[in-house]
Structure formats: structure tokens, C-alpha cells
Amino acid sequence: MIEDSEAREHLAMVDRIVERTSTRLNVGAEYFVVWGIASATMSLMYQLIADRNLPANFIWIAWGAAFAAVAFSIWRGRSSRKARPSFLEREFLTVLKVAMTVTFAIFFIELFGANIFGPLGLAAVWSFGASIVVLYVAMHGNRRALVGGIALLLSLAAANIWPDFAGYALSAGMLVGYAGFGVVEMLAASCAVD
């Protein structure tokens, strides 16, 4: 049988462990901002070019934004390596890798001649993958992520209802639901530190 003092020590130890274990998922908000802006730029450029509001060579603005997001991600990933991520952070990275791997695979299949989706269809697939990532964050108690995920899903619905404006809807969804989520997370983090 365990003594009362021993039981209290064990409970105190469990309390300390529970206090250090967070069920909230801390994410790199700057990635959401950069990728949200880059994705919105791509959708917007494709729509503007399809509507003949811009010449076709303006597509390089979209690709420049995408390459800048990739370069930022590589630079930021290398400069912020943590010694040991938490279980929850590892799970988030797994979900992120799966969602982005699927969307990149679809992109490359399309790039080499499948022609199933087209540029704005690819933007919709990308938005769907982004919504999975943001909603995963929401599942861990982040209400701001829930709002972002809903905004992304609503942009997909709007793009489906008004296909002539699909690029605008998807662009708005990425700005509000992905980049906006990142900005709000950065503001919340700065307010919590002050």
C-alpha cells in the first residue's frame, strides 16, 4: 500500500507533467502568411489572364510568388530547427506533408499532360489541401484556425457556384483563410508575449 505523502508526490509529479503538456498546436504562422499570399497571387493571376485583363506573360508574377514561398520555407526551416519537436508538432508536420504531397503530386501529374483540372482546378485542389491543414490546427482548440478553414471551404463553394469568378473566390479564400489565419496568429502571439 502507498503512503499518503508518497501518493501526494506522485500526484504532484503528474500535475507537473500535465502542465508542461500542451494540447494546443503552435504553428509557424509566418508560413501561412507567405504561402497564403503566394497561393492567392497564383489564383488571381490565372483568373486575370483567363479574363484577358492581363497579358499571358504576367503569369511569371504568380510563379515568382510560388518560388519565393518555396525559398522562404527552405530558409526559415533551416534557421528554426528545433532540437526535438513535441508529439503534437510531429503529428501536424505529418498532416502537412501528406496534404501538400498529394496536392503537389496532382500538380505534377497535371503539369505533364493529364489536363484533368486545369489551372483553376489545381488552385481548388490546393485550397482543399490548405483547408485540411488549417482544420487540423482547429481540431486542437484553435478557433482562429476554424474560421480560416471555414473561409477556405466557403471559397471552394463560391468557386463552384460562380465558375467565371473561381480564381477570385479561391484567391480571396487563401488570403482570408490561410494568410489571414497566419496574420491573426502572429498578432495573438505578439499580444501574449507583451
Side-chain angles (χ1 to χ4, degrees), residues 24-30 142 144 181-194:
R24 293 202 42 98
L25 180 57
N26 299 317
V27 295
E30 64 276 8
N142 190 319
R144 295 177 291 270
F181 163 66
V183 168
V184 172
E185 281 296 296
M186 289 168 62
L187 291 172
S190 70
C191 289
V193 171
D194 295 340

Side-chain angles (χ1 to χ4, degrees), residues 81-87 89-90:
R81 291 194 181 178
K82 291 172 80 174
R84 187 158 185 180
S86 70
F87 173 76
E89 289 169 331
R90 286 192 310 270

Side-chain angles (χ1 to χ4, degrees), residues 42-43 46-47 59 110 115-125 170:
M42 289 201 78
S43 299
Y46 273 106
Q47 182 70 56
I59 200 60
E110 192 73 14
N115 299 316
I116 297 170
F117 297 105
L120 291 176
L122 287 172
V125 170
L170 296 171

Side-chain angles (χ1 to χ4, degrees), residues 62-136:
W63 285 101
F67 289 125
V70 168
F72 171 81
S73 297
I74 292 168
W75 169 78
R76 186 71 174 97
R78 287 185 177 169
S79 67
S80 66
R81 291 194 181 178
K82 291 172 80 174
R84 187 158 185 180
S86 70
F87 173 76
L88 198 52
E89 289 169 331
R90 286 192 310 270
E91 288 297 306
F92 169 71
L93 290 173
T94 300
V95 168
L96 179 65
K97 287 175 188 174
V98 168
M100 295 304 114
T101 299
V102 169
T103 54
F104 274 116
I106 292 170
F107 171 76
F108 284 117
I109 290 168
E110 192 73 14
L111 186 65
F112 292 111
N115 299 316
I116 297 170
F117 297 105
L120 291 176
L122 287 172
V125 170
W126 185 259
S127 291
F128 183 72
S131 70
I132 291 170
V133 172
V134 176
L135 290 172
Y136 182 81

